[in-house]
Amino acid sequence: MIEPGVERWRRLTVKEGWRQFVTDEPTERPERMSVGDYRRLNERLKAAYDRERLRHAHGFGPIRSLYADIHQTLDRLVTSNERRRRGARHGAALDGNPGNGKSTIVSQFGRQYERRCREHYPHELTPEGHEYLPVLYVNVDALPTIKGLNEAMLTFYGLGPLRHATAQQLTQLVLQCAQLCQTSLIIIDDIHLLELRREADRDANNHLEQLANDLQATFVYAGVGLARSGFMHEVLLGTDAALAQTSRRFRHLPVKPLRRSTPSKRALWLGVLSVFESELVLLGSKAGDLCGQADYLWRRTQGVIGSLTQLLTEATAEAIDSGSEQITQELLDSIDIGYAAEIGAGRQQRRRAA
Ligand SMILES: Nc1ncnc2c1ncn2[C@@H]1O[C@H](COP(=O)(O)OP(=O)(O)OP(=O)(O)O)[C@@H](O)[C@H]1O
Ligand SMILES: [Mg+2]
């Protein structure tokens, strides 16, 4: 269903929004001004500069080193699927806790894949005259049923809502859309939200299996706790003999927080902090402002990229607003980044269950 008031091109889960995301480039970093030059700006220009700095803090390109290995695995999977002539193609399931960067990894993979496809075939229509849409991206967040998943897929293609269609009719339509539009990569995000009752697990699995069998596409799933619960447990670990065939077809790719226990892991953590140091434009910042607080920042965020991003963008907004123009530990201390991260950092007590 299309939410009223939300333009289609703003949402990743419809073809217009996805296309925009594929073509958009990351924001350009505003130049770092001297304090003197900044003070000489009039209020309007100051406000515009501040807005740009903040926009860039939220919109700079993702840090590729965080997922280069997963992208390489996905690239290999797609390549080997392209060579496979018959039978269902192999897929991958990215599995990790909230904030570990799964949606970023799968959406960026889809973006790069579509760019490559469009370089190779630079036409808007397929040879048969249908819209060429090599990637389908859906999210199971709103309607966690098979019907809902089908509807989400059709919404991406610009169809629906089809209130009177049966589940089977919807499935047929999805298959048709994907075939006609030559969709060869299907990304299903937040798949853990699909209904997890025993019967529903089986239905969901059968449905996904049917799609995988009938489409010449690579399936990439992302979700939380996939190996522990619900139908993906069967899909990934094959504890149910009837589903074991599917489990062999899926590659389980854990998405973990950053660590600092070995020299190479620590180097990656420092590398991430140095990207933030150079992308967050603050007039009073100095080299080492963040890398010098590497241990503190790890304790606050437990290495979770989503928590780190939130902490540092909020600190940037505060440093600009207050005019302090630098991220200090005192400033970071004053920012609360939510219950789970604060418990992890030992800054809040775990709430007792009632
Ligand atoms: N490689 C990256 N470079 C820079 N920022 C990143 C990167 N990966 C994730 N982030 C930031 O971390 C935040 C959380 O990432 P993301 O939404 O991808 O996580 P997730 O695992 O899908 O979380 P959830 O399970 O809650 O959906 C995002 O705001 C994103 O901007
Ligand atoms: Mg996500």
Side-chain angles (χ1 to χ4, degrees), residues 93 95 144 190-206 208 221 223-240 243-244 246-247 252:
D95 188 358
D190 285 333
I191 195 153
H192 60 284
L193 296 176
L194 268 187
E195 280 193 342
L196 297 177
R197 281 177 297 107
R198 198 73 199 106
E199 278 308 301
D201 289 357
R202 190 63 66 86
D203 287 350
N205 191 74
N206 287 343
L208 292 169
Y221 301 154
V224 178
L226 298 185
R228 286 195 306 271
S229 66
F231 76 96
M232 285 303 293
H233 179 77
E234 311 287 3
V235 169
L236 293 170
L237 303 177
T239 47
D240 182 323
L243 300 176
T246 326
S247 81
H252 183 225

Side-chain angles (χ1 to χ4, degrees), residues 208-268:
L208 292 169
E209 186 148 333
Q210 186 187 352
L211 291 182
N213 279 332
D214 290 355
L215 291 175
Q216 295 288 304
T218 300
F219 279 72
V220 175
Y221 301 154
V224 178
L226 298 185
R228 286 195 306 271
S229 66
F231 76 96
M232 285 303 293
H233 179 77
E234 311 287 3
V235 169
L236 293 170
L237 303 177
T239 47
D240 182 323
L243 300 176
Q245 191 189 13
T246 326
S247 81
R248 283 198 304 273
R249 291 203 197 125
F250 268 84
R251 188 82 195 264
H252 183 225
L253 301 173
V255 183
K256 296 188 173 148
L258 286 137
R259 298 264 168 241
R260 47 178 188 159
S261 49
T262 66
S264 68
K265 287 178 178 159
R266 192 172 173 79
L268 181 60

Side-chain angles (χ1 to χ4, degrees), residues 61-63 66-67 96-105 190 224 305-306 309:
I63 304 166
L66 284 181
Y67 51 73
N97 283 335
N100 282 356
K102 303 175 296 297
S103 296
T104 306
I105 300 174
D190 285 333
V224 178
I305 185 68
T309 310

Side-chain angles (χ1 to χ4, degrees), residues 53-54 57-58 60 63 269 272-282 289-291 293 296-298 300-301 304-320 326-329 331-332 335-337:
R53 296 193 281 163
L54 214 50
H58 286 276
F60 71 85
I63 304 166
W269 178 241
V272 168
L273 296 181
S274 67
V275 172
F276 279 96
E277 262 182 28
S278 62
E279 299 297 336
L280 302 177
V281 182
L282 291 171
D289 270 357
L290 300 181
C291 292
Q293 305 192 66
Y296 169 86
L297 285 166
W298 195 90
R300 283 296 304 276
T301 60
V304 174
I305 185 68
S307 302
L308 181 71
T309 310
Q310 190 191 342
L311 179 61
L312 295 181
T313 47
E314 286 188 25
T316 303
E318 186 57 34
I320 292 175
Q326 195 182 15
I327 295 179
T328 59
Q329 186 172 329
L331 170 57
L332 293 168
I335 294 169
D336 181 332
I337 51 168

Side-chain angles (χ1 to χ4, degrees), residues 107-127:
S107 59
Q108 289 296 328
F109 181 71
R111 178 176 182 271
Q112 281 163 32
Y113 176 80
E114 177 152 341
R115 286 181 156 220
R116 278 204 305 272
C117 288
R118 290 195 182 278
E119 248 171 53
H120 189 67
Y121 183 81
H123 308 286
E124 289 301 316
L125 300 182
T126 65

